[in-house]
Amino acid sequence: MGLQQNYQINQKQLHSLALTQSMKQSLFMLQTNLADLMTYVQEQSMANPLFDVNPTISKQEVELATVFNNQDTEQPTLEAYLLEQIRLTMRPLPLRELVLQLIAHLDEHGYLLLSDQQLLDQLQVTPVALADAKELLYNLDPPGVGAQSLQECLILQMQLKAATPTHQLALAILEHDFDQLIAHDWSAIAQHWQVQRAQVQAAFAAIQTLTPYPYVATPRHTAYVVPELLVQRQADRLSLEVTKWGYPQIVFAQETYDQLRVSTDQATKSYVQRKYQEYQTLQKNLARRLTTLALIGRCIVSAQAPFFLQKTTTLKTLLLRDVAQKLSLSESTVSRTINDKYLQTTFGIFELKDFFTKRSNPNSELSVNEVQAQLRQLIAQEDPQHPISDQQLVHLLQAQGITIARRTVSKYRQQLGIANARQRKHLVLGK
């Protein structure tokens, strides 16, 4: 009786341990990026004879990720860097002022998020003037600044490369065969341009040297960025899908399982049962990761719909607890899931955590991002000869119904990389 009771206790302890290990694995999968996830699943496969990881997926992931390779280099604030170039290269003419206004509409990575029509409506300029100003912006460093999509960003960078036949082909592919490029349809591209497959692959190698972000403020620890979510737009409707680019595909070794489970050896049977349970747990946790990521992604798209529809460049207030409560998840689960995950749109690639913004103050419904956008707009419209002080900005914001302290204005201005009034005046005067 004592032996039977001890056996049951041990069974319960083992079951509890298995649950704990499964939970730990699930949490790890939620918070890890795609490259590390693939490595982890491959390691699990090496220790389990009952499944393999589809090797073609791993290869595609590496190739595709290389397209989105980020350069790990320290750079100054983007706005300050561009303003310094303008001061040194452009005379104080109306077109120069238009370029300054375009810079005010850049996001943190150097993308121009508004469409041409939105810019024409907001800036009240002619299409010719806008085209000329954009061309001047394109000529500034870093290459690709002012692009309105990933495709345009890569094209602008490739245009600056040496005019070799390989680079000319790469530019043509980016301009006319972008969908085939992303799909790695080398045969279709080769047939289109009447070239050898090897020439197309050489052009792809040249494209791999480009970066999706004209500007990255700080070095990234992640070598490659592979967006796991894709937002698509049809008129005023948005849809989101999990791309599964490079996502581990597990192939169950049915023949091996059938052979081992009919063994009469008890140790072998126990081993097979344990490895089968590990396989099922891994599959369940991979599926949970995808489901959780998709649910949180849909919440983000719903909350920030005006941004994804390109009706605004600012973000609404969105807190971790808002999403957690809506999905009946813990805040820690949401935090883990958005960690180091990326979302692709037609106008750029964004990290999920960038869509979570705090309120500017507890009594306001405006997010910090929205207040900073108003602040940026006011400064962009100022008289360059008489820049607006932080205290004047406080009064201007109050006139718009935004109550904010002067020290907060100063903090937000610094976060935007905008110099103070005295420094801005010196930049204009060239002192």
Side-chain angles (χ1 to χ4, degrees):
M1 182 68 178
L3 179 62
Q4 178 67 20
Q5 183 179 10
N6 186 56
Y7 175 76
Q8 290 176 344
I9 293 173
N10 285 338
Q11 282 290 92
K12 289 179 180 179
Q13 289 174 338
L14 287 172
H15 182 60
S16 176
L17 179 61
L19 287 177
T20 302
Q21 289 173 337
S22 173
M23 291 172 63
K24 286 181 178 179
Q25 183 185 77
S26 177
L27 293 176
F28 171 78
M29 287 183 171
L30 282 175
Q31 69 187 22
T32 193
N33 62 40
L34 201 52
D36 291 341
L37 179 67
M38 175 62 78
T39 299
Y40 173 77
V41 173
Q42 288 175 330
E43 289 173 352
Q44 295 298 304
S45 172
M46 292 176 65
N48 193 327
L50 297 185
F51 71 89
D52 294 308
V53 182
N54 192 331
T56 60
I57 297 301
S58 175
K59 181 172 181 292
Q60 288 175 359
E61 180 240 334
V62 172
E63 289 179 348
L64 180 61
T66 308
V67 176
F68 303 113
N69 185 18
N70 283 322
Q71 298 176 348
D72 291 348
T73 55
E74 287 283 354
Q75 293 175 294
T77 303
L78 176 61
E79 186 159 6
Y81 184 46
L82 294 174
L83 289 175
E84 180 64 11
Q85 292 178 71
I86 290 174
R87 184 181 73 83
L88 294 173
T89 61
M90 298 184 193
R91 292 180 294 171
L93 298 172
L95 196 56
R96 176 182 184 269
E97 299 304 313
L98 184 51
V99 175
L100 291 173
Q101 292 185 67
L102 291 181
I103 289 174
H105 287 88
L106 295 177
D107 73 358
E108 61 180 349
H109 297 302
Y111 274 95
L112 188 59
L113 295 185
L114 297 185
S115 67
D116 284 354
Q117 188 57 56
Q118 289 172 317
L119 289 169
L120 290 172
D121 293 340
Q122 287 196 20
L123 303 179
Q124 294 297 298
V125 296
T126 66
V128 173
L130 178 60
D132 289 343
K134 287 175 64 178
E135 192 62 34
L136 289 176
L137 181 58
Y138 295 157
N139 290 332
L140 297 178
D141 191 66
V145 67
Q148 291 165 298
S149 67
L150 173 62
Q151 181 181 8
E152 186 179 23
C153 178
L154 299 177
I155 288 173
L156 290 173
Q157 293 175 64
M158 186 57 68
Q159 287 173 342
L160 298 178
K161 297 287 185 178
T164 65
T166 296
H167 287 98
Q168 289 175 349
L169 177 60
L171 180 59
I173 292 171
L174 286 170
E175 290 176 337
H176 304 287
D177 298 302
F178 192 69
D179 290 340
Q180 288 82 357
L181 171 69
I182 294 298
H184 293 177
D185 193 348
W186 311 137
S187 298
I189 297 174
Q191 184 178 3
H192 182 191
W193 298 105
Q194 295 296 298
V195 295
Q196 299 296 318
R197 185 185 178 97
Q199 292 173 274
V200 174
Q201 291 174 327
F204 178 65
I207 293 171
Q208 287 178 308
T209 65
L210 308 178
T211 171
Y213 294 124
Y215 176 86
V216 178
T218 57
R220 289 186 174 271
H221 300 294
T222 303
Y224 302 110
V225 171
V226 182
E228 296 189 56
L229 297 175
L230 175 64
V231 175
Q232 294 179 316
R233 172 185 175 183
Q234 290 185 343
D236 281 342
R237 299 189 62 172
L238 297 167
S239 63
L240 179 135
E241 65 176 270
V242 180
T243 64
K244 297 187 181 179
W245 284 337
Y247 206 80
Q249 286 192 358
I250 294 179
V251 180
F252 183 62
Q254 186 67 52
E255 185 175 346
T256 300
Y257 176 66
D258 291 340
Q259 290 175 350
L260 291 175
R261 70 173 179 170
V262 297
S263 173
T264 57
D265 181 64
Q266 189 60 42
T268 300
K269 284 187 174 182
S270 298
Y271 172 80
V272 172
Q273 184 177 4
R274 186 171 68 254
K275 291 301 177 182
Y276 184 68
Q277 184 177 8
E278 289 176 4
Y279 156 76
Q280 288 183 312
T281 299
L282 187 67
Q283 281 280 52
K284 180 187 69 176
N285 287 333
L286 281 172
R288 181 182 181 227
R289 182 185 186 276
L290 277 177
T291 301
T292 306
L293 186 60
L295 288 171
I296 292 175
R298 291 189 182 98
C299 277
I300 291 173
V301 172
S302 176
Q304 307 293 4
F307 175 83
F308 290 109
L309 291 170
Q310 295 183 271
K311 294 180 178 180
T312 180
T313 59
T314 59
L315 297 171
K316 297 291 184 182
T317 297
L318 183 62
L319 307 176
L320 287 177
R321 70 166 177 264
D322 296 336
V323 174
Q325 290 173 357
K326 186 172 183 179
L327 299 177
S328 299
L329 298 172
S330 67
E331 288 187 42
S332 61
T333 297
V334 177
S335 178
R336 286 187 177 94
T337 305
I338 66 174
N339 178 59
D340 211 9
K341 311 296 192 308
Y342 293 82
L343 175 151
Q344 183 175 354
T345 70
T346 57
F347 52 89
I349 299 172
F350 303 88
E351 195 166 2
L352 291 188
K353 67 180 182 182
D354 292 342
F355 296 105
F356 289 82
T357 58
K358 297 185 292 185
R359 292 182 176 88
S360 56
N361 67 65
N363 299 319
S364 173
E365 289 300 315
L366 291 177
S367 69
V368 171
N369 185 271
E370 288 173 303
V371 175
Q372 287 180 336
Q374 292 292 335
L375 191 63
R376 184 195 291 271
Q377 188 67 29
L378 288 171
I379 294 174
Q381 295 171 347
E382 71 184 0
D383 179 356
Q385 302 293 334
H386 302 91
I388 306 171
S389 69
D390 288 350
Q391 189 58 50
Q392 289 173 319
L393 287 168
V394 169
H395 297 314
L396 291 171
L397 288 170
Q398 284 178 341
Q400 298 180 5
I402 303 173
T403 302
I404 187 171
R406 188 197 61 78
R407 63 179 179 274
T408 307
V409 168
S410 177
K411 181 180 75 171
Y412 287 176
R413 175 179 52 73
Q414 292 173 19
Q415 289 174 345
L416 291 168
I418 300 175
N420 61 36
R422 180 178 58 82
Q423 292 169 332
R424 297 201 302 277
K425 185 173 182 179
H426 284 186
L427 280 174
V428 172
L429 296 177
K431 294 181 179 180

